[in-house]
Amino acid sequence: MQSTPPSTTGSSAASIRSKHPYKEPKQVEALKNFRALLGPDNVKYDDGELMRFIVARSYDLNGAKTQLLASLDWRAANKVDDLPIPGPKNSNGVMYAVRGWHSVPDANIEAGQPNVPEHAVRLQKYMGGSCLHKWDKAGRPIYIERMGQHNVKGLAKNVTTPELVDYHIRCSEFVHNTIMPECEERFGTDDKVIDKETVIFDCTGMGFHQLHMEGLNMLRSLTDMDQKAYPERLGKLFIVNSPFVFVKVYSMIKKWLDPGVIEKIHILGKDYKSVLLAHIDPENLPDFLGGACTCSHMPGGCVPSVIMNNIKPVSKAPVPDGNLLAVPTYLRPRSSSAASANSIMDFVMPHAQDGIYQMFSTLSHGKPCEYEIVVADEDVEREPEVVIKFRVKGVRAACDGLNFTVARFEFGEKADSGTIVVPTKFYDLSDCPESSEGIEIKFRAKAAGLYVLSWMPENPRGLTQMEYGVSVDGILGEQTTDSS
């Protein structure tokens, strides 16, 4: 799912007043009071940008200020403004198919193109197809996604959440910083603001096989980020060919959404063509959605899809590009963990005690549980020492009648000493280890990227309470509560 982030930090050179003045008394008063609340820094933002945060928080100006400043901090910490995006003055490759724009020629995503990371190419194998396809009658860009064709399980298994977030942000930055200015130039008027996009999700082919919790957790990560950091960038969302299974999916997704976002969503069955054509001219709407466009000059037509076999699979780049969006070093459950389908309970307690976090897990059938340690770009400039601490203890009441096993720990090939294995130690009920016992592993991180911790009880069934901490040169890594 895609929406477009605001160019928050990049707007410092903008005029205080928007090109499109707000005239309603409520808007004028809110902008005046919001600028006063922001103080001298208010000159960094134009009216349109401030109004997006005001509307997102339903005119709660203190809430709007908190959200605006948080988005600034997020963009700075993650170096969002430094991301390379396609545009008329560079040769950067596109992150998905584009059709109908002057700023960037019609193109499909290709491996080996400048500043197209390997994970953006890899995930095309599991995506049902997507394209930024022309514009609607309001002059807004149209993003189309064949959601019903997604291989959700394959995506969750082969693409990490940080990779998907990075891809999502790059696509969004492209729309906001390259396409939106073109829309303004071509279609904008004094009375028409073009700062949002129209989205169409085609659910053709959707089934219960897509109700995969890891995939939904990934979607939730993107949704949460969009609403917190990128408010009011969605114009309308049309969900077409929606089957019964979508009702199940939407009942979960709806809980994550702000009321303002829900109001923009239009769920349509098979009688959707007249609705789309009321908002989009036929020549700008693909024929498979009721329009007249085929984009026959491009491989894959309007919306290329590897899964639908209308375009050849995108090959991986010869040299993998590990240039992930800069994120703080952290540890989280791995989406591709084999334990995800077998864990009865697996979660992380978010509060640390002396730099040690707690993780509880119950596994059946001896399936491994994997955790990711992401080392950020800025942390490897010094080749820092990464310290992983593990302490394990049994929960006596819970393991009544069961033997308790703490298995081996392994790190992936990026660790400079190769795979690190901690020998397994077996405990029975009367000899569960105390929490004071622990193991500490150290290695020098010579490259940014993903390191994997894998552990598994030797016993077919076993309950493990495990405590851990991750630090880089003494700085404790960020923890998450995502489930594996």
Side-chain angles (χ1 to χ4, degrees), residues 344-382:
I344 301 172
M345 175 179 65
D346 192 0
F347 62 93
V348 176
M349 299 296 291
H351 302 295
Q353 298 291 332
D354 301 324
I356 297 294
Y357 287 76
Q358 290 185 327
M359 184 276 291
F360 302 86
S361 184
T362 304
L363 298 178
S364 59
H365 311 300
K367 298 295 185 180
C369 183
E370 297 177 326
Y371 278 74
E372 300 173 347
I373 299 169
V374 174
V375 179
D377 290 335
E378 63 266 26
D379 286 332
V380 299
E381 294 177 356
R382 310 177 308 277

Side-chain angles (χ1 to χ4, degrees), residues 1-2 96-99 101 127-136 141-148 150 167 175 197-203 236-238 240 276 280 284-291 293 295 301-305:
M1 181 174 181
Q2 180 199 332
Y96 52 22
V98 295
R99 303 285 189 266
W101 304 101
M127 291 279 286
S130 60
C131 181
L132 193 69
H133 189 278
K134 301 185 178 181
W135 49 89
D136 66 10
I142 304 169
Y143 175 76
I144 302 172
E145 189 169 301
R146 294 181 184 263
M147 177 177 280
H150 289 341
Y167 171 80
V175 174
E197 66 179 318
T198 294
V199 177
I200 302 174
F201 287 159
D202 181 8
C203 294
K236 293 183 183 296
L237 168 57
F238 298 101
V240 304
L276 293 185
I280 305 169
N284 292 338
L285 184 66
D287 59 354
F288 69 86
L289 291 174
C293 186
C295 289
C302 294
V303 184
S305 172

Side-chain angles (χ1 to χ4, degrees), residues 29-40 42 50 61 65:
E29 184 69 14
L31 285 167
K32 176 184 175 181
N33 293 336
F34 196 23
R35 288 191 178 281
L37 185 63
L38 291 173
N42 83 87
L50 295 183
L61 299 187
K65 179 182 178 180

Side-chain angles (χ1 to χ4, degrees), residues 327-345:
V327 295
T329 296
Y330 73 98
L331 185 146
R332 56 154 284 143
R334 194 181 192 201
S335 60
S336 61
S337 172
S340 62
N342 300 285
S343 179
I344 301 172
M345 175 179 65

Side-chain angles (χ1 to χ4, degrees), residues 104 176 315 381 415 469:
V104 178
H176 180 67
S315 300
E381 294 177 356

Side-chain angles (χ1 to χ4, degrees), residues 6-310:
S7 182
T8 309
T9 55
S11 64
S12 57
S15 164
I16 295 179
R17 299 295 173 246
S18 173
K19 171 183 174 183
H20 312 280
Y22 291 89
K23 301 176 181 179
E24 295 182 11
K26 181 180 180 180
Q27 296 173 330
V28 173
E29 184 69 14
L31 285 167
K32 176 184 175 181
N33 293 336
F34 196 23
R35 288 191 178 281
L37 185 63
L38 291 173
D41 284 345
N42 83 87
V43 299
K44 296 180 180 179
Y45 319 105
D46 70 13
D47 286 349
E49 188 164 18
L50 295 183
M51 186 55 67
R52 286 194 293 273
F53 285 86
I54 292 171
V55 173
R57 298 274 61 84
S58 300
Y59 285 76
D60 172 6
L61 299 187
N62 287 317
K65 179 182 178 180
T66 298
Q67 186 173 358
L68 172 63
L69 297 181
S71 72
L72 281 168
D73 292 341
W74 178 85
R75 291 179 70 88
N78 290 280
K79 302 178 182 177
V80 174
D81 293 313
D82 295 334
L83 289 174
I85 60 173
K89 297 181 180 180
N90 63 56
S91 59
N92 293 331
V94 297
M95 299 287 287
Y96 52 22
V98 295
R99 303 285 189 266
W101 304 101
H102 297 160
S103 302
V104 178
D106 289 358
N108 296 332
I109 184 171
E110 296 181 21
Q113 292 298 301
N115 291 309
V116 175
E118 182 273 335
H119 58 270
V121 175
R122 184 188 341 124
L123 65 80
Q124 299 303 314
K125 180 178 179 181
Y126 310 101
M127 291 279 286
S130 60
C131 181
L132 193 69
H133 189 278
K134 301 185 178 181
W135 49 89
D136 66 10
K137 292 181 180 181
R140 293 171 174 173
I142 304 169
Y143 175 76
I144 302 172
E145 189 169 301
R146 294 181 184 263
M147 177 177 280
Q149 301 297 325
H150 289 341
N151 179 350
V152 178
K153 291 183 179 180
L155 187 68
K157 182 177 181 180
N158 295 282
V159 180
T160 67
T161 298
E163 289 173 332
L164 188 62
V165 168
D166 176 70
Y167 171 80
H168 180 78
I169 294 173
R170 289 172 187 255
C171 293
S172 299
E173 289 291 308
F174 164 62
V175 174
H176 180 67
N177 293 298
T178 298
I179 300 302
M180 287 292 182
E182 180 179 332
C183 291
E184 278 285 294
E185 182 179 348
R186 295 173 67 176
F187 312 114
T189 67
D190 288 342
D191 297 322
K192 183 168 67 174
V193 181
I194 302 178
D195 60 356
K196 297 175 174 60
E197 66 179 318
T198 294
V199 177
I200 302 174
F201 287 159
D202 181 8
C203 294
T204 302
M206 180 174 284
F208 282 100
H209 63 282
Q210 291 181 319
L211 285 175
H212 186 261
M213 188 52 65
E214 284 303 312
L216 292 175
N217 284 340
M218 285 178 148
L219 176 60
R220 183 171 187 174
S221 296
L222 301 184
T223 302
D224 288 345
M225 180 180 65
D226 283 345
Q227 294 182 137
K228 293 175 182 177
Y230 313 149
E232 287 298 306
R233 283 297 184 178
L234 175 66
K236 293 183 183 296
L237 168 57
F238 298 101
I239 300 173
V240 304
N241 290 312
S242 55
F244 172 75
V245 66
F246 182 79
V247 177
K248 296 291 185 182
V249 176
Y250 187 63
S251 66
M252 291 183 283
I253 296 175
K254 191 174 181 179
K255 298 175 183 178
W256 314 334
L257 303 177
D258 290 338
V261 174
I262 294 174
E263 291 177 359
K264 300 175 183 181
I265 299 176
H266 304 269
I267 301 176
L268 308 171
K270 297 189 179 298
D271 297 327
Y272 62 85
K273 295 180 182 180
S274 61
V275 177
L276 293 185
L277 289 171
H279 292 85
I280 305 169
D281 292 323
E283 61 270 23
N284 292 338
L285 184 66
D287 59 354
F288 69 86
L289 291 174
C293 186
T294 61
C295 289
S296 58
H297 65 291
M298 290 297 297
C302 294
V303 184
S305 172
V306 173
I307 289 179
M308 296 187 71
N309 297 315
N310 66 13

